């Protein structure tokens, strides 16, 4: 058996809202007398959360249809049908481009805008990764047509990296009664804090970010470590980080597997959010790296069973100084795993720690230094900040 003692995570050496696909909504406009143009329907959301239908309009019959809202709040434009029976002339709305641009006058029909006497103005759609934005149809003579608010959408952001996957529009696992949001830091020695000067890993820095925003969080888990205070406030030291541990038991000779901790003791305190980063020790094992995604799937099944209402924030692994191929293979498998679980209605978000600069690694080329742990805290916080209670 090879000996990599100096490169193992531990022993002081060395995590879309669920992706619930919102039902596509449509509405047949009513015909009534009056002057004005055509009240466009607010739009159909294919993927991306609930979008309210436009209000009832008077002044003609409209056969126009708005554009289709794409993933995460990006509006993918389309060409609406020509209006019929409208008083005041034929209005044209144009084709709405990507990114929520306002429809130009001169196309085929108005999209979600206001039509008065033949003039069409497209509505405004504010896109976004985790927020679908607000779509307002505008005002039609004889009535008001408001598209409503679409918050969330298919998938939250893959924070710290490339494309976003995971999450659920409108889903928030945190308490709304004034209690702190309970966060479970779950993983190996990088979660525990090996290499950090205060023993708090990313946890102390994440706590500081929440404090600065007047947000109420606490950490849970069966282990304890870190500073007594952060910015003059008592620091919650609990976590579930275990040095040298892998995804499953019996994978390496120097550590156990965190899957044995689910459901107890890891989930004894019913966490609202789970920050999960695990696999670095598996990458450094003598064998079995090709089975890492399958072992992770088994762990995720156990976590979902233990905490079905929690948000699981799964992280790509941080860099390793010698860049084993198994690390890249594992990280590349995670987006597909998260996408499939979001599609199944589970609450997952993927974040990307793999872009952390190698200069943020400590002298062992494995554990982050304080700067690296601050990088991790920023990535975690960007994924959950909008969910945390004030």
């Amino acid at each position: 058996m090879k000996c990599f003692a100096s490169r193992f995570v531990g022993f002081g050496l060395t995590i879309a809202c669920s992706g619930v696909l919102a039902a596509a909504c449509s509405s047949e406009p009513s015909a009534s007398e009056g002057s004005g143009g055509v009240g466009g329907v607010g739009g159909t959301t294919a993927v991306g959360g609930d979008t309210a239908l436009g209000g009832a309009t008077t002044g003609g019959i409209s056969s126009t249809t708005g554009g289709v809202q794409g993933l995460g709040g990006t509006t993918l434009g389309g060409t609406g049908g020509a209006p019929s029976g409208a008083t005041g002339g034929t209005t044209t709305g144009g084709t709405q481009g990507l990114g929520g641009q306002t429809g130009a006058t001169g196309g085929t029909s108005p999209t979600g805008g206001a039509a008065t006497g033949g003039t069409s103005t497209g509505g405004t759609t504010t896109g976004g990764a985790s927020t679908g934005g607000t779509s307002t149809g505008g005002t039609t003579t004889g009535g008001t047509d408001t598209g409503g608010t679409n918050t969330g959408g298919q998938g939250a952001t893959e924070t710290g990296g490339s494309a976003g996957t995971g999450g659920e529009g409108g889903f928030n696992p945190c308490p709304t009664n004034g209690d702190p949001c309970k966060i479970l830091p779950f993983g190996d020695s990088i979660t525990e804090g090996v290499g950090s000067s205060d023993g708090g890993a990313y946890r102390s820095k994440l706590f500081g970010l929440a404090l600065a925003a007047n947000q109420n969080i606490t950490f849970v888990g069966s282990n304890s470590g870190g500073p007594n205070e952060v910015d003059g406030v008592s620091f919650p030291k609990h976590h579930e980080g275990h040095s040298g541990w892998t995804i499953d038991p019996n994978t390496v000779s120097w550590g156990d597997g965190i899957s044995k901790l689910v459901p107890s003791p890891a989930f004894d305190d019913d966490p609202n959010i789970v920050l999960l980063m695990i696999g670095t020790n598996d990458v450094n094992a003598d064998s079995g790296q090709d089975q890492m995604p399958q072992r992770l799937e088994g762990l995720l099944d156990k976590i979902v069973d233990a905490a079905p209402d929690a948000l699981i924030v799964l992280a790509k692994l941080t860099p390793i100084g010698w860049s084993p191929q198994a690390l890249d293979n594992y990280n590349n498998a995670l987006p597909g795993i998260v996408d499939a679980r979001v599609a199944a209605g589970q609450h997952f978000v993927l974040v990307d720690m793999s872009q952390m600069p190698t200069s943020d690694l400590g002298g062992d080329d494995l554990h982050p230094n304080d700067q690296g742990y601050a990088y991790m805290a920023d990535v975690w916080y960007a994924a959950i900040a909008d969910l945390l209670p004030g």
Side-chain angles (χ1 to χ4, degrees):
M1 179 178 69
K2 298 179 182 179
C3 181
F4 294 100
S6 66
R7 296 180 177 179
F8 298 142
V9 185
F11 300 101
L13 300 176
T14 10
I15 181 176
C17 300
S18 70
V20 177
L21 303 179
C25 297
S26 64
S27 176
E28 294 294 331
S30 61
S32 63
E33 296 180 354
S35 63
V38 181
V41 179
T44 301
T45 302
V47 180
D50 296 326
T51 302
L53 295 176
T57 62
T58 62
I61 300 174
S62 171
S63 61
T64 62
T65 305
V68 179
Q69 191 175 43
L71 183 64
T74 301
T75 301
L76 178 62
T79 303
S84 61
T87 302
T90 301
T91 63
T92 58
T95 302
Q96 193 175 39
L98 291 173
Q101 299 176 8
T102 303
T105 303
T108 305
S109 69
T111 302
T116 305
T119 300
S120 171
T121 303
T124 299
T125 301
T126 301
S130 61
T131 302
T134 301
S135 176
T136 305
T139 303
T140 304
T141 303
T144 300
D145 180 6
T146 303
T149 301
N150 176 10
T151 302
Q154 161 84 25
T157 303
E158 181 182 329
T159 307
S162 54
T165 53
E168 174 190 358
F171 171 72
N172 191 329
C174 295
T176 58
N177 61 357
D179 289 342
C181 192
K182 294 183 290 186
I183 299 174
L184 173 65
F186 200 15
D188 49 38
S189 60
I190 296 177
T191 299
E192 185 178 24
V194 173
S196 62
S197 61
D198 63 0
Y202 63 77
R203 296 176 285 110
S204 57
K205 294 161 179 60
L206 177 58
F207 187 72
L209 291 172
L211 281 180
N214 296 314
Q215 292 171 314
N216 192 8
I217 68 170
T218 191
F219 297 121
V220 296
S222 64
N223 275 359
S224 180
N228 292 324
E229 293 184 349
V230 171
D231 297 333
V233 178
S234 179
F235 175 65
K237 297 184 178 183
H238 293 289
H239 65 88
E240 204 66 61
H242 297 265
S243 290
W245 284 35
T246 54
I247 298 169
D248 280 332
N250 305 317
T251 305
V252 294
S253 59
W254 62 86
D256 218 328
I258 67 169
S259 64
K260 67 180 291 183
L261 303 173
V262 186
S264 183
F267 287 81
D268 287 350
D269 290 321
D270 298 321
N272 306 117
I273 296 175
V274 180
L275 305 182
L276 176 63
M277 192 179 85
I278 189 66
T280 301
N281 287 302
D282 300 75
V283 166
N284 289 308
D286 289 333
S287 62
Q289 288 91 343
D290 57 337
Q291 295 299 311
M292 287 176 62
Q294 291 85 344
R295 293 200 295 271
L296 177 66
E297 292 272 27
L299 171 63
L300 298 180
D301 286 342
K302 296 182 71 173
I303 291 175
V304 170
D305 287 343
D309 296 324
L311 174 66
I312 297 97
V313 186
L314 177 64
K316 290 185 178 181
L317 301 180
T318 52
I320 298 175
W322 53 94
S323 300
Q325 184 61 46
L327 177 70
D328 292 336
N329 293 342
Y330 178 71
N331 281 339
N332 290 338
L334 300 189
I337 290 174
V338 169
D339 283 344
R341 289 183 175 271
V342 168
Q346 298 175 6
H347 309 308
F348 276 80
V349 171
L350 178 66
V351 298
D352 192 353
M353 299 293 180
S354 70
Q355 302 304 307
M356 188 182 80
T358 55
S359 59
D360 288 353
L361 296 175
D364 60 5
D365 279 341
L366 181 60
H367 293 92
N369 54 30
D370 283 344
Q371 183 173 312
Y373 280 121
Y375 178 97
M376 293 183 69
D378 287 341
V379 173
W380 290 125
Y381 185 71
I384 65 175
D386 290 343
L387 305 175
L388 304 180

